[in-house]
Amino acid sequence: MTGGAATTRGPDDRGETLLELVISLCIIGIAVVAVLAAVRLAVDASSFDQRRVEAKSALRSWSETIAARVTDASYLPCASASAFAAAFGYDGPARTGYTASVAQVQYWNGTAFTSGSGGGGACVAGDDTGTQRVLLRMTVADSIYPGFTSQLWVTVRKPCGTTSPC
């Protein structure tokens, strides 16, 4: 045959149908969504870890500041958590959603740490022998990510000075 002869197709020459293309696109779309969800989860986890590390770092920095500022004259015997916070409050960088607080102060009475042996847990003269254990707390609240609280116990000692014996 010459000229306008029709060509015949073999069994392997057929094309894809529209249904096969739509199914392929659906599979690719599902795969892309799954990959993007995994990336989003990784970003969220990284952000949460970063905020936790920043909170711990701020607590450590605060504890070092307290240790540097406690002197013989500035030591507060039988201090409450609010009095301790007023004297040695957090003065680090302010970040939105981060709240620093002094949660608890305990006193060394010679044998153990106590919150006070007086009525209602009040400190009496023999409770504070010059060593305090202070619980520092950093609470992180955010509208996007779950909040959490980091805590750090710090031991504060009254330094030897001219007014106090060692």
Side-chain angles (χ1 to χ4, degrees):
M1 301 179 134
T2 61
T7 59
T8 59
R9 291 187 185 189
D12 294 333
D13 287 341
R14 66 185 189 105
E16 289 81 18
T17 65
L18 182 57
L19 182 60
E20 290 171 333
L21 289 175
V22 169
I23 290 173
S24 298
L25 288 175
C26 287
I27 291 172
I28 291 171
I30 291 170
V32 167
V33 168
V35 168
L36 291 177
V39 168
R40 173 66 185 192
L41 184 64
V43 168
D44 287 348
S46 175
S47 176
F48 185 78
D49 287 344
Q50 178 184 2
R51 291 180 317 125
R52 187 172 296 277
V53 167
E54 287 173 355
K56 287 284 189 185
S57 176
L59 285 174
R60 285 189 190 101
S61 177
W62 187 16
S63 70
E64 290 170 4
T65 301
I66 290 170
R69 289 175 38 196
V70 172
T71 63
D72 183 36
S74 68
Y75 181 82
L76 301 171
C78 288
S80 65
S82 58
F84 195 92
F88 302 103
Y90 179 72
D91 59 357
R95 293 212 35 193
T96 303
Y98 288 64
T99 305
S101 62
V102 176
Q104 186 178 5
V105 179
Q106 295 179 339
Y107 316 97
W108 181 254
N109 64 10
T111 56
F113 282 102
T114 179
S115 295
S117 60
C123 181
V124 294
D127 286 341
D128 192 344
T129 60
T131 302
Q132 298 173 344
R133 187 166 69 173
V134 181
L135 180 60
L136 305 178
R137 183 175 291 159
M138 183 72 67
T139 303
V140 180
D142 197 331
S143 60
I144 299 173
Y145 302 106
F148 61 90
T149 299
S150 291
Q151 300 183 140
L152 179 65
W153 281 102
V154 178
T155 302
V156 177
R157 294 189 179 136
K158 182 176 184 178
C160 297
T162 56
T163 62
S164 65
C166 293

